[in-house]
Amino acid sequence: MSTTVVKSDGAPRRGSISLSGKRRGSGTEKMDTHIASWHTRTHLHEDNPHAREEDLKKLLERYTKTFTITPQRLKMITDNFVGVLEKGLEEPEQTVPMLPAYVFGWPTGEEVGSYLALDLGGTNLRVCHVVLKGKGKFEVTQSKFRLTEEQKQQEGQLLFDFCAECLNTFIIDHFGDANGDVILEEEIALGFTFSYPMQQDAIDHGKLIRWTKGFGNPNTEGRDCAAMFRQSLEKFKVPIKMTSLINDTTGTLIASNYVRQDTRIACIFGTGCNAAYMEHIGNIPKIKSLGLPDDEDMAINCEYGAFDSFTHEHMAEVRTKYDEYIDLHSNKPHEQTYEKMIAGLYLGEIFRLVMCEMVDEGSLFLGQNTYKIEKPYSFDTAFLSLIESDPTEELLTVTGLFTHFFGLDTTIVERKFFRELAKLIGTRAARLSSCGIAALVIKMGYLEEGCGVGADGSLYSKYPGFADRLHQALVDIFGEKGKKIVTYQAEDGSGVGSAIIAAMTKARKEAGKYAHV
């Protein structure tokens, strides 16, 4: 049988292979019906159970070359990124889709009033009452409702029924009288944050392209989720009108600008990655038929975690065998390539694959039982944060981490190696993350005056050194002018941002401006 084999050195080759043959190391085999992975441990030295310092130094040199990205390479990736973004604006259904969000222009910062926001996340459903006070001020009251795994797989309409029921419960709790009757002095507009890839032709419509984040509710993909939710609102007689349907990244852009008016870009660096920005309508050829004025602006949800997917041509020089392994074993091979190299879901797995490789080569955990680290995704990215931030001289946090979670003994030499390896992987993620921001800066001409970038997500907010490394990479790309591109902790996009967009949309429709979109 002819198969493609990806060897432990990352090089693919064609040929016949016997699964019973003796092999060392880790790798994958692309069979006719599935992808098989193999992992073989060798060289168990019971009399010398720990790695030698000189061996680890050589290995660190090797991994430093593997994970280091030069300023020149960053610039090349950024230049390619710009072209991909522009193509997404020109033609529909591109790999990086550049989705029009139908949010027109920036908030004034003076939006005021009482609004509701509904945020359907991967773990919880969040309902917020947001009071906008103008001058970038706001107050938020919220409730969270846990989503079960069953709810993520049940009939799509039932999921939206649950959303409507939770919203109704929140309204009764916060606006009801002693008898549970709700009397609203005026209609409260609702903004719905629905952070799944959707095709929009208006701010209050959105056709689901595909479920992500573990959802698989049938009879939903390809349908207008806004219409399905409205049906649920009517079913439960919820006295609310849904005004807008948005992605959380778009909400983050608007919320951050409401508080800091120099914000021009918003990014999410968490489990996944994405960005949004404000584009001139004249630069979006694929919606020219709508007849919107060229000189006005519209928010774009980039969905640029898909950069370099399928062809893998733009980051081939920095894409490692570990990235390829993760990609091949993911639920969607060859998709979301950029995201798989920088997002929080994957960094711990990259670290784990390097450890397994070292075990295979007889360089690490000699004579110890390593079955716990051989389980995919058993090494969380949060562990890398702990390793990098361990304040003790003996790296005792790292000691406890390996002992408690994996039953493995480590020496101080090994723990120092782990810290350097974590830095290499975390730094690479931050540096690659800069390329998407830099591409938007170049495209929009923000470099000379500089701009603010609202950034959110667990990597940005919690991973040690991530923001500083990101800023250094922007300087490596742009020189001293890169210091004018400043990232900072973003505002709550799925709550406050959704409410602000609801306010903007309500005002626009009342004024009869672009009422058809």
Side-chain angles (χ1 to χ4, degrees), residues 34-203:
H34 66 284
I35 294 174
S37 62
W38 45 269
H39 184 84
T40 308
R41 208 165 37 135
T42 59
H43 299 306
L44 300 183
H45 299 293
E46 301 292 347
D47 58 335
N48 182 20
H50 294 293
R52 297 190 304 172
E53 186 171 5
E54 56 266 35
D55 291 339
L56 291 180
K57 284 182 179 178
K58 291 178 182 177
L59 285 167
L60 185 60
E61 290 177 5
R62 183 172 93 189
Y63 292 125
T64 298
K65 290 179 181 177
T66 299
F67 291 111
T68 298
I69 302 178
T70 65
Q72 184 60 31
R73 183 61 60 186
L74 289 177
K75 292 174 186 176
M76 292 173 67
I77 294 171
T78 299
D79 288 343
N80 290 332
F81 218 132
V82 175
V84 170
L85 297 179
E86 289 177 342
K87 188 173 183 181
L89 293 173
E90 291 168 4
E91 302 173 18
E93 300 181 5
Q94 296 301 300
T95 302
V96 175
M98 303 296 280
L99 302 170
Y102 296 90
V103 176
F104 294 91
W106 298 108
T108 64
E110 296 304 319
E111 286 80 5
V112 296
S114 179
Y115 298 89
L116 287 167
L118 187 71
D119 174 22
L120 182 63
T123 305
N124 299 302
L125 175 73
R126 187 166 62 120
V127 185
C128 306
H129 177 223
V130 182
V131 179
L132 301 176
K133 298 187 171 184
K135 301 188 185 304
K137 307 292 184 183
F138 56 83
E139 286 182 358
V140 181
T141 304
Q142 68 175 24
S143 293
K144 288 184 179 180
F145 301 86
R146 187 81 175 181
L147 287 161
T148 66
E149 290 305 313
E150 290 75 20
Q151 286 171 321
K152 295 180 183 180
Q153 308 302 327
Q154 68 186 5
E155 184 72 21
Q157 193 63 56
L158 292 177
L159 176 65
F160 290 111
D161 283 354
F162 173 73
C163 294
E165 282 187 278
C166 292
L167 175 61
N168 205 36
T169 299
F170 182 89
I171 292 169
I172 292 171
D173 289 346
H174 289 81
F175 300 101
D177 59 18
N179 299 318
D181 296 325
V182 177
I183 301 176
L184 299 174
E185 294 182 3
E186 59 181 357
E187 187 179 74
I188 300 180
L190 169 72
F192 187 4
T193 304
F194 186 75
S195 299
Y196 305 88
M198 56 181 171
Q199 190 72 45
Q200 293 186 264
D201 56 13
I203 188 64

Side-chain angles (χ1 to χ4, degrees), residues 80 84 95 305-320 323-328 330 332-341:
N80 290 332
V84 170
T95 302
F307 174 68
D308 203 37
S309 294
F310 304 109
T311 58
H312 310 306
E313 58 184 315
H314 302 306
M315 296 191 293
E317 296 298 322
V318 298
R319 193 165 179 256
T320 68
D323 301 311
E324 292 171 2
Y325 183 94
I326 287 172
D327 185 22
L328 281 174
S330 69
K332 294 185 177 179
H334 305 300
E335 296 185 31
Q336 299 297 104
T337 297
Y338 186 54
E339 184 171 274
K340 288 172 183 172
M341 294 175 71

Side-chain angles (χ1 to χ4, degrees), residues 409-430:
D409 293 328
T410 58
T411 64
I412 183 62
V413 173
E414 290 168 338
R415 294 193 292 275
K416 286 182 177 179
F417 171 85
F418 292 146
R419 183 166 60 182
E420 293 307 310
L421 178 61
K423 285 181 181 178
L424 287 172
I425 294 170
T427 299
R428 185 188 76 148

Side-chain angles (χ1 to χ4, degrees), residues 43 62 211 277 290 317 338 342-343 384 391 475:
H43 299 306
R62 183 172 93 189
W211 280 117
Y277 74 109
L290 294 177
E317 296 298 322
Y338 186 54
I342 67 175
L384 268 65
V475 173

Side-chain angles (χ1 to χ4, degrees), residues 234-374:
E234 292 174 8
K235 178 179 178 180
F236 292 97
K237 296 181 171 58
V238 184
I240 296 297
K241 182 179 180 182
M242 191 192 75
T243 304
S244 56
L245 185 70
I246 67 161
N247 180 277
D248 60 344
T249 316
T250 306
T252 299
L253 176 70
I254 297 301
S256 297
N257 181 270
Y258 182 76
V259 175
R260 289 185 52 156
Q261 293 191 336
D262 68 333
T263 303
R264 292 293 175 268
I265 299 167
C267 297
I268 307 292
F269 299 118
T271 305
C273 74
N274 194 13
Y277 74 109
M278 199 66 69
E279 181 60 86
H280 307 312
I281 292 175
N283 293 336
I284 318 175
K286 66 184 179 183
I287 62 168
K288 194 167 185 64
S289 62
L290 294 177
L292 297 169
D294 287 350
D295 59 350
E296 295 205 27
D297 293 337
M298 182 193 290
I300 297 292
N301 167 28
C302 300
E303 294 289 352
Y304 72 17
F307 174 68
D308 203 37
S309 294
F310 304 109
T311 58
H312 310 306
E313 58 184 315
H314 302 306
M315 296 191 293
E317 296 298 322
V318 298
R319 193 165 179 256
T320 68
K321 59 187 173 184
Y322 316 108
D323 301 311
E324 292 171 2
Y325 183 94
I326 287 172
D327 185 22
L328 281 174
H329 285 72
S330 69
N331 63 334
K332 294 185 177 179
H334 305 300
E335 296 185 31
Q336 299 297 104
T337 297
Y338 186 54
E339 184 171 274
K340 288 172 183 172
M341 294 175 71
I342 67 175
L345 181 60
Y346 306 102
L347 302 189
E349 180 66 357
I350 294 171
F351 188 98
R352 187 192 71 83
L353 289 173
V354 173
M355 283 197 299
C356 287
E357 179 179 63
M358 293 174 64
V359 169
D360 296 337
E361 294 175 349
S363 303
L364 187 65
F365 301 137
L366 311 178
Q368 299 192 60
N369 196 330
T370 59
Y371 75 96
K372 287 187 177 180
I373 64 167
E374 291 169 14

Side-chain angles (χ1 to χ4, degrees), residues 114 219 318 353 379 401 476 487 495 511:
S114 179
N219 298 318
V318 298
L353 289 173
F379 205 90
L401 169 67
D476 285 350
T487 70

